[in-house]
Amino acid sequence: MRNLLTIHTALIPVLLACAAIAPRPAQAEAATDPAPTSPEARFRAISSSEWTWRLEQDGHAPGDTPETPQKFLPDVSPAAQAARLTRWQEVRRQIAAISPDSLPAGSRVDYAVYTGQIDALIADQTCRAYEMPANSDTAFWTGIEGDTDFHPKNEAEYRSYLTRLSQVGRYFHDQTDNMRAGLAHGLTPPRVTLQGRDASIAAYLGKPPAETAFYAPFLDMPATIPAATQAALRKEALATIRETVIPAYQTLLTFFRNEYFPHTRTTLSAETLPDGKACYQAAIREYTTTDLTPDQIHKTGLEEIAKIRAEMQQTMKASGFTGDMPAFLAWLRKAPQFYAKTPDELLKDAAWIAKQVDGRIGRYIGHLPRQRFGIVPVPANIAPFYTAARGGAGVYLVNTWDLPARPLYALRALTLHESAPGHAFQLPLAAENKDQPDFRRYSYLSAYGEGWALYCERLGDEMGLYETPYDRFGMLSYQAWRAARLVVDTGIHHMGWTRDQAIRYLLDNTALSRHEVETEVDRYISWPGQALSYYLGEMAIRQARAKAEAALGPAFNIRAFHDVVLQTGSVPLPELTTRVDQFIHDGGKGPYPDEE
């Protein structure tokens, strides 16, 4: 499940639900577009108009940015889905008529990014992804109450929030209609990946309206709102939650348990779905920004696992352990010194690691983001099915559920990836780069974003952040985990692997806990292609860096290189390689004046 802006998909379950007004007819919108003559002006007019429309599809008012709280919940009806496909196909036809060679050099990158976005949106609509609006850890019914730091700032934002709550019944009705259509077409997530996920719906039920998560923003309202207005807003909120929201969740729970879950498919492979081979290849193209085949990716994964395994073996010996690798993995999974005793201990360790990064990062990155981030636990209603952590602009979510599944030896790599200098740096830097069009500032390409975050785990080795052999082994285990995804994702969706095969492969090649392995495998089963982006993206960045180091020699500046990668923003991997080639051609000069 992804929203239309292709923002950081990892945070969708805890972000405010994406929202939209009913889409305007594509033809009517196109008729009002200006008709500039130069290729550059035509491209800007087309992309700007579509981006504004796309924001409205996600629930924003004209003039809003994706950072502005949404005003509406989406129209996800079949008519709206058809209108979106029509609009994006027309946009694709219009931009195809513009030759990239006719654009200035900088605009060619914008063109490549934008074309990839439109192609991915068309593929999602054509493959009817909207008929599967829930997977093993992401669902449309979570996050409507806002993210972990959601708090309206004024009366207008409270009224927008109330509007969204009032639309929950209509929104859930449309989503379940789409799910029924998916059942009829054979388009559902595999049943095994939805086992127990009804608990994330039931978690919203069984409480009085005033004790639900939906009412939390009304418990402490800003003093700038008059007392009488506060009272009226609270009264409306309680009535809306009682009369609309809770009944919608109850109806959804009944539908999920009685009608949907029992009839979901028992197969795993994406290629067994209608148009499955084409849709899986489209997913590979979207998430890796390459045209690699499943067989090529599978082979790469096997080769990289072998390389990482050798490093793991050396690090195990450095720890003083005298047994073999299976014994070492078994010991790591149960040795009590590697596990926090309380949620607060895990959160505080994560915070300490993040502050250690703060003390060293200036030697590795020249231009740092202005936005800070907080560290908070994953919400309880999704924590049992959620990954170990996720991060982004302003937040580092740490899963404190089932502490024996959260090894401390992996926490340093996890923190580097999800917070500083990974997602909590890359995403704000993109948004703060006002030299780029909004469709680049606020959009996310997984190969680039996840590739950067995984690269940051390796960078921690250079930064001296892995203080013990166990910390370093945790990093290598995470590298193996991402390389293993190349094998497992293609194994499941292309080669017919079973769930048990995938679980065993990860248990044999990483130090992940069994709970995390099972959660991750279910994610790969229900989200084809996404898992491929991490390691392929990291490989591209590491290869580009090696090329720059070899070409520039003593002139290579690590801060300038990282600034180039981050300033370029979320781009297809071939475009990132081209930008690093320009960096080499410029003699290692970065985009900012203070890199030295």
Side-chain angles (χ1 to χ4, degrees):
M1 177 186 176
R2 299 184 306 117
N3 70 7
L4 303 178
L5 298 180
T6 62
I7 63 168
H8 191 17
T9 54
L11 291 175
I12 288 177
V14 291
L15 288 174
L16 189 59
C18 61
I21 58 176
R24 291 170 288 177
Q27 287 82 359
E29 175 70 24
T32 64
D33 289 343
T37 55
S38 75
E40 166 77 355
R42 288 204 310 275
F43 171 64
R44 296 299 171 194
I46 294 166
S47 58
S48 176
S49 173
E50 185 276 331
W51 174 256
T52 299
W53 176 83
R54 204 189 315 177
L55 281 177
E56 293 175 3
Q57 298 299 290
D58 273 344
H60 295 280
D64 283 353
T65 72
E67 297 171 332
T68 308
Q70 290 96 331
K71 304 298 191 299
F72 307 93
L73 285 180
D75 179 354
V76 295
S77 66
Q81 304 295 352
R84 291 183 182 119
L85 178 57
T86 298
R87 177 66 191 270
W88 285 320
Q89 286 174 330
E90 173 60 17
V91 166
R92 188 65 178 88
R93 184 193 65 78
Q94 292 174 353
I95 59 175
I98 301 171
S99 170
D101 293 337
S102 68
L103 301 174
S107 295
R108 290 174 203 161
V109 179
D110 295 343
Y111 183 94
V113 173
Y114 185 72
T115 301
Q117 287 183 16
I118 298 301
D119 285 345
L121 291 165
I122 290 172
D124 271 3
Q125 296 301 105
T126 303
C127 294
R128 306 177 81 92
Y130 58 85
E131 292 185 353
M132 296 186 288
N135 62 37
S136 65
D137 73 358
T138 301
F140 63 86
W141 57 79
T142 60
I144 289 176
E145 72 276 22
D147 64 21
T148 53
D149 194 34
F150 173 68
H151 202 98
K153 298 186 292 295
N154 52 49
E155 181 182 346
E157 290 190 4
Y158 273 97
R159 294 200 179 279
S160 291
Y161 178 55
L162 286 171
T163 296
R164 294 195 294 275
L165 291 183
S166 74
Q167 295 173 346
V168 167
R170 182 266 302 163
Y171 177 58
F172 281 16
H173 178 272
D174 288 346
Q175 293 282 23
T176 53
D177 275 357
N178 288 334
M179 293 165 79
R180 286 188 179 97
L183 283 172
H185 298 137
L187 286 170
T188 74
R191 188 176 307 165
V192 68
T193 68
L194 296 179
Q195 183 71 46
R197 269 52 174 186
D198 56 329
S200 65
I201 306 172
Y204 289 98
L205 300 171
K207 299 177 182 177
E211 295 178 17
T212 65
F214 304 105
Y215 191 72
F218 296 91
L219 296 175
D220 182 21
M221 299 178 71
T224 52
I225 301 176
T229 303
Q230 289 189 31
L233 291 170
R234 289 190 175 106
K235 181 179 179 180
E236 183 179 349
L238 290 170
T240 302
I241 295 167
R242 181 176 57 253
E243 298 167 11
T244 299
V245 177
I246 291 176
Y249 274 88
Q250 186 60 65
T251 300
L252 176 64
L253 183 62
T254 301
F255 163 77
F256 186 91
R257 286 177 172 172
N258 299 341
E259 184 178 346
Y260 191 69
F261 178 77
H263 299 102
T264 49
R265 64 185 169 105
T266 56
T267 58
L268 304 184
S269 170
E271 290 192 354
T272 64
L273 292 171
D275 298 320
K277 287 187 179 294
C279 288
Y280 185 46
Q281 189 63 55
I284 289 173
R285 189 175 302 111
E286 175 183 357
Y287 287 116
T288 74
T289 65
T290 74
D291 289 316
L292 293 171
T293 67
D295 290 321
Q296 289 172 320
I297 293 171
H298 193 87
K299 180 175 182 290
T300 297
L302 293 173
E303 292 169 350
E304 293 301 311
I305 280 287
K307 296 175 187 176
I308 299 167
R309 185 83 172 192
E311 286 190 84
M312 294 169 75
Q313 195 78 31
Q314 293 172 356
T315 305
M316 180 190 74
K317 291 180 180 178
S319 76
F321 190 83
T322 56
D324 61 11
M325 183 65 71
F328 188 54
L329 295 177
W331 177 70
L332 287 174
R333 289 182 177 126
K334 66 182 181 181
Q337 67 263 39
F338 296 126
Y339 297 88
K341 304 299 187 295
T342 66
D344 276 354
E345 181 184 347
L346 185 64
L347 293 168
K348 288 175 181 177
D349 279 0
W352 167 238
I353 295 165
K355 289 309 296 181
Q356 286 183 295
V357 173
D358 277 354
R360 307 181 195 191
I361 197 60
R363 300 197 294 271
Y364 296 88
I365 299 175
H367 186 73
L368 304 178
R370 296 177 60 191
Q371 184 174 16
R372 304 295 85 198
F373 63 90
I375 300 176
V376 294
V378 172
N381 65 312
I382 59 173
F385 313 113
Y386 209 64
T387 49
R390 292 191 189 169
V395 64
Y396 172 26
L397 289 156
V398 178
N399 199 333
T400 59
W401 186 87
D402 191 13
L403 290 175
R406 318 294 172 196
L408 296 175
Y409 56 76
L411 188 59
R412 288 181 173 267
L414 185 66
T415 300
L416 286 159
H417 182 115
E418 301 293 353
S419 64
H423 291 315
F425 271 35
Q426 182 266 314
L427 286 160
L429 283 170
E432 292 167 16
N433 187 355
K434 295 183 179 180
D435 291 335
Q436 293 183 351
D438 284 356
F439 69 78
R440 287 184 62 184
R441 292 173 62 200
Y442 297 111
S443 294
Y444 185 83
L445 290 177
S446 195
Y448 170 87
E450 299 299 344
W452 166 257
L454 185 54
Y455 169 86
C456 289
E457 295 181 25
R458 277 278 189 183
L459 185 62
D461 216 2
E462 295 178 53
M463 296 171 68
L465 285 165
Y466 299 118
E467 297 175 344
T468 70
Y470 306 114
D471 292 333
R472 189 168 192 277
F473 191 89
M475 179 272 290
L476 291 171
S477 172
Y478 267 28
Q479 293 285 313
W481 171 27
R482 279 37 167 268
R485 290 176 176 183
L486 305 183
V487 180
V488 169
D489 193 284
T490 53
I492 292 167
H493 295 295
H494 179 64
M495 298 176 174
W497 278 26
T498 66
R499 182 174 182 267
D500 286 344
Q501 270 182 282
I503 289 171
R504 177 47 52 194
Y505 191 81
L506 282 178
L507 287 174
D508 288 346
N509 287 286
T510 76
L512 299 179
S513 69
R514 185 173 187 95
H515 169 79
E516 191 165 13
V517 164
E518 291 177 353
T519 300
E520 287 295 319
V521 166
D522 286 344
R523 181 162 74 100
Y524 311 151
I525 292 170
S526 59
W527 201 355
Q530 192 271 346
L532 305 175
S533 57
Y534 298 69
Y535 201 83
L536 292 177
E538 183 198 20
M539 283 181 69
I541 296 173
R542 290 173 62 187
Q543 288 167 359
R545 175 175 167 178
K547 182 178 181 180
E549 287 176 327
L552 295 170
F556 178 80
N557 181 316
I558 189 64
R559 283 157 51 100
F561 172 78
H562 289 149
D563 283 347
V564 162
V565 173
L566 289 166
Q567 187 268 347
T568 300
S570 202
V571 295
L573 297 181
E575 296 297 331
L576 181 61
T577 300
T578 298
R579 178 63 183 93
V580 173
D581 287 344
Q582 184 63 48
F583 169 71
I584 295 170
H585 181 268
D586 293 341
K589 184 178 182 297
Y592 304 106
D594 61 346
E595 285 132 359
E596 300 300 322

